[in-house]
Amino acid sequence: MLNVKWRPIAIIAALLVLGHFLLLSPYLDSRRLSADPAADDPLNHGSPVNDPLIDIKHPPPVTVTVTRGEAAAYTETQVVKETVVIHEDLSEPQEKTSAAFVILTRNKDLKDLRETLIQLEDRFNRRYHYPYVFLNNEPFSDEFKAKISNIVSGECEFGLIPTEHWSYPDYINQTRAAEARKDMADRKIIYGGNESYRHMCRYESGFFFRHPLMDKYKWYWRVEPGVKFACDIDYDPFLFMEKNDKKYGFTISIK
């Protein structure tokens, strides 16, 4: 049993030893890190990186002085892990073709269309910068034009659809057309009762390429407001179709 008069001294000594190990532990950790920095990095696997698009920066060691009161307790050098910066190749492809995105939309579609275009730019067009043609059977608002132009990398043009391209031909019996739409709506056919949808289908089937804004293009990519692009498009569909003598391609998903 420890003598009572020595008990305070023993407590002080124990505290000094404990403090010594607490102050020393960062130094030991830094020594282990300096000895094998790759061992602690699960992405390194001990192999050098030779990708030309990856720049590995090795910052210089940092010297840190730890003080206790006014006196310096010890000085250590901490080695900071390298920082990996990936430089994505966003240079414009050398080969392109005469093509544009054509989008039939309205002012009320602004929110959905912006979300679609942000994804389309991110997944594909930020490298190609193909132009956009926006068509509407009503005039586009200044707000629509400004907010759309600010988020795309290609040139934007806004066109008005002629009335004769967005209406009934003279030979159509509109009474029978209304009855047919009601019948389809009663039978739960998708878009069956939607008159505007009929005008859109007719326009997309035979009139959109007759718009003067489309005259200078050979290829068109139709984009609908609200569609999603879930993955990167790492090739040029316009150029693929041109080189492989394709006329028409599509993808569709309806829920």
Side-chain angles (χ1 to χ4, degrees):
M1 185 174 179
L2 186 65
N3 192 301
V4 175
K5 70 178 182 178
W6 294 104
R7 188 173 299 170
I9 298 176
I11 294 175
I12 293 173
L15 291 175
L16 289 174
V17 172
L18 177 61
H20 173 74
F21 279 106
L22 289 176
L23 291 174
L24 188 60
S25 59
Y27 173 73
L28 295 176
D29 290 340
S30 67
R31 289 292 299 274
R32 285 195 296 269
L33 179 60
S34 300
D36 185 13
D40 294 332
D41 190 351
L43 299 178
N44 193 321
H45 306 297
S47 302
V49 178
N50 296 317
D51 192 327
L53 295 181
I54 297 181
D55 178 20
I56 301 182
K57 301 182 180 298
H58 298 275
V62 179
T63 300
V64 179
T65 300
V66 181
T67 61
R68 183 188 301 128
E70 296 182 356
Y74 65 90
T75 300
E76 69 175 46
T77 300
Q78 298 177 347
V79 178
V80 183
K81 288 186 179 181
E82 64 269 17
T83 300
V84 179
V85 181
I86 299 179
H87 302 286
E88 186 176 2
D89 183 9
L90 294 180
S91 58
E92 187 168 347
Q94 295 181 356
E95 188 177 10
K96 292 171 59 176
T97 188
S98 174
F101 299 101
V102 55
I103 303 177
L104 190 61
T105 185
R106 289 175 170 169
N107 292 313
K108 66 180 182 180
D109 298 326
L110 178 59
K111 180 179 181 298
D112 288 342
L113 181 58
R114 278 175 56 87
E115 293 175 358
T116 293
L117 293 180
I118 288 172
Q119 289 189 12
L120 179 57
E121 285 288 324
D122 180 60
R123 297 299 193 180
F124 171 73
N125 204 43
R126 60 178 173 167
R127 290 190 63 237
Y128 293 89
H129 311 302
Y130 278 112
Y132 293 83
V133 175
F134 301 92
L135 300 175
N136 190 354
N137 66 314
E138 300 173 353
F140 285 110
S141 67
D142 291 338
E143 178 191 18
F144 185 97
K145 294 178 182 179
K147 289 188 175 180
I148 291 299
S149 300
N150 287 340
I151 61 172
V152 298
S153 61
E155 178 187 359
C156 290
E157 293 184 285
F158 301 88
L160 183 64
I161 298 172
T163 303
E164 59 270 23
H165 292 174
W166 195 272
S167 58
Y168 292 96
D170 294 338
Y171 55 83
I172 294 295
N173 185 325
Q174 295 191 33
T175 301
R176 289 187 61 186
E179 292 173 351
R181 290 195 305 272
K182 182 178 184 305
D183 175 66
M184 287 187 288
D186 292 341
R187 289 186 286 143
K188 309 297 182 183
I189 296 176
I190 187 171
Y191 304 125
N194 192 323
E195 182 181 34
S196 178
Y197 182 78
R198 297 292 176 277
H199 291 316
M200 182 273 293
C201 290
R202 178 171 179 261
Y203 183 78
E204 294 283 19
S205 298
F207 290 106
F208 81 93
F209 61 87
R210 301 179 187 180
H211 197 286
L213 292 180
M214 307 302 297
D215 288 346
K216 55 189 172 184
Y217 302 114
K218 297 179 180 179
W219 298 92
Y220 319 118
W221 181 341
R222 176 186 170 188
V223 177
E224 285 286 307
V227 300
K228 310 294 183 183
F229 294 89
C231 59
D232 291 338
I233 304 170
D234 57 2
Y235 71 100
D236 186 341
F238 295 123
L239 208 56
F240 175 86
M241 295 185 69
E242 184 174 79
K243 289 186 173 183
N244 291 275
D245 197 27
K246 304 296 182 182
K247 302 300 182 185
Y248 186 79
F250 71 94
T251 180
I252 187 170
S253 177
I254 299 178
K255 63 179 180 178

